Amino acid sequence: MGKVNWKPGTMIYPLPAVMVSCGNEKEGYNIITVSWTGTICTDPAMCYISVRPERHSYDIIKKNGEYVINLTTKKLAYQTDWCGVRSGSEYDKFSEMGLTPVKASIVSAPLIEESPLNIECKVKEIVELGSHHMFISEVVAVDVNEELIDPKSGVYRLDKANVICYSHGKYYDLGKFIGRFGFSVKKNKKGGDKGKHANK
Ligand SMILES: Cc1cc2nc3c(=O)[nH]c(=O)nc-3n(C[C@H](O)[C@H](O)[C@H](O)COP(=O)(O)O)c2cc1C
């Protein structure tokens, strides 16, 4: 199979498309859609967002040192896209999109109520990479929607939230379940290795 060699580019996909809420008072609240985001440390829990300095949100996040990553769902796809193509310098995105700002437990930035999971972040370091500056942040609290917690087991059912992802300019839902973490090496009850037979 031949390969075509491309110049360097950003081709790690799929990625999340999250709505990042920022601002420390109602009048200045804003939402920016971000795909350059991810987990970078388990303990302490740390993540990043990379934002272009020309974004309206950039100065808000830099000044306050706090923001919230709100996961997005199929139901929130329209709002996710809109908040990624319109600027808070011209619009109040919360009211335009009918989204509800809710007080966070630790940070001053608001949670988006309609999101199934909100990650409260405090900025630790800003790395000026080039087109984007990376906000390396500590996760200081996580807020989850009650209705997604199974009342019997207490397990958070993220699989029921219909979260979406972003791949090369397009949004997708998650499609079919393929396997659990470690399924490739899990022994079946008869002592065999399920991993070896996964494609049979
Ligand atoms: C799916 C998607 C992903 C995006 N990811 C980023 C990103 O990672 N970093 C960034 O600076 N802008 C990103 N943008 C663009 C901003 O969301 C967009 O410029 C937005 O209008 C900025 O809002 P603001 O001016 O209110 O801050 C993305 C847009 C979309 C639609």
Side-chain angles (χ1 to χ4, degrees):
M1 198 180 7
K3 293 273 186 191
V4 177
N5 186 243
W6 287 352
K7 64 180 172 53
T10 53
M11 287 302 289
I12 298 175
Y13 290 119
L15 289 170
V18 296
M19 288 196 278
V20 172
S21 44
C22 55
N24 61 0
E25 46 192 38
K26 207 166 186 311
E27 295 68 46
Y29 284 170
N30 194 35
I31 303 169
I32 173 174
T33 299
V34 166
S35 270
W36 294 174
T37 183
T39 298
I40 44 173
C41 185
T42 302
D43 187 14
M46 293 188 74
C47 62
Y48 82 95
I49 56 169
S50 279
V51 179
R52 285 184 185 263
E54 58 266 34
R55 308 290 189 227
H56 182 68
S57 306
Y58 179 89
D59 288 333
I60 303 175
I61 295 168
K62 191 170 179 178
K63 182 167 156 263
N64 298 335
E66 296 180 337
Y67 61 89
V68 178
I69 293 177
N70 304 272
L71 298 193
T72 57
T73 62
K74 211 167 170 181
K75 214 171 155 188
L76 291 171
Y78 180 91
Q79 289 91 332
T80 303
D81 187 64
W82 200 90
C83 290
V85 292
R86 291 285 181 263
S87 180
S89 58
E90 291 175 64
Y91 296 95
D92 174 344
K93 297 193 197 179
F94 273 97
S95 69
E96 291 284 340
M97 288 293 101
L99 296 170
T100 318
V102 175
K103 201 177 166 346
S105 67
I106 296 188
V107 301
S108 52
L111 315 177
I112 299 177
E113 185 173 74
E114 290 76 8
S115 162
L117 189 137
N118 324 85
I119 301 160
E120 300 183 34
C121 303
K122 275 190 192 252
V123 178
K124 291 278 160 201
E125 199 183 328
I126 303 172
V127 187
E128 301 190 4
L129 297 169
S131 62
H132 291 66
H133 293 185
M134 185 184 198
F135 291 90
I136 295 182
S137 314
E138 184 165 357
V139 174
V140 292
V142 174
D143 307 87
V144 303
N145 283 5
E146 271 173 352
E147 64 268 25
L148 288 169
I149 298 175
D150 185 285
K152 279 191 187 152
S153 63
V155 170
Y156 174 64
R157 297 297 307 269
L158 185 59
D159 54 319
K160 294 204 163 170
N162 287 322
V163 290
I164 53 169
C165 62
Y166 177 72
S167 187
H168 207 200
K170 294 173 182 168
Y171 304 95
Y172 297 87
D173 63 22
L174 289 191
K176 292 201 183 84
F177 171 75
I178 294 169
R180 282 186 186 277
F181 178 95
F183 82 99
S184 62
V185 292
K186 198 169 176 216
K187 300 266 188 248
N188 65 28
K189 280 184 185 148
K190 287 176 188 155
D193 184 342
K194 271 188 184 166
K196 280 186 198 157
H197 309 295
N199 290 326
K200 288 193 172 167

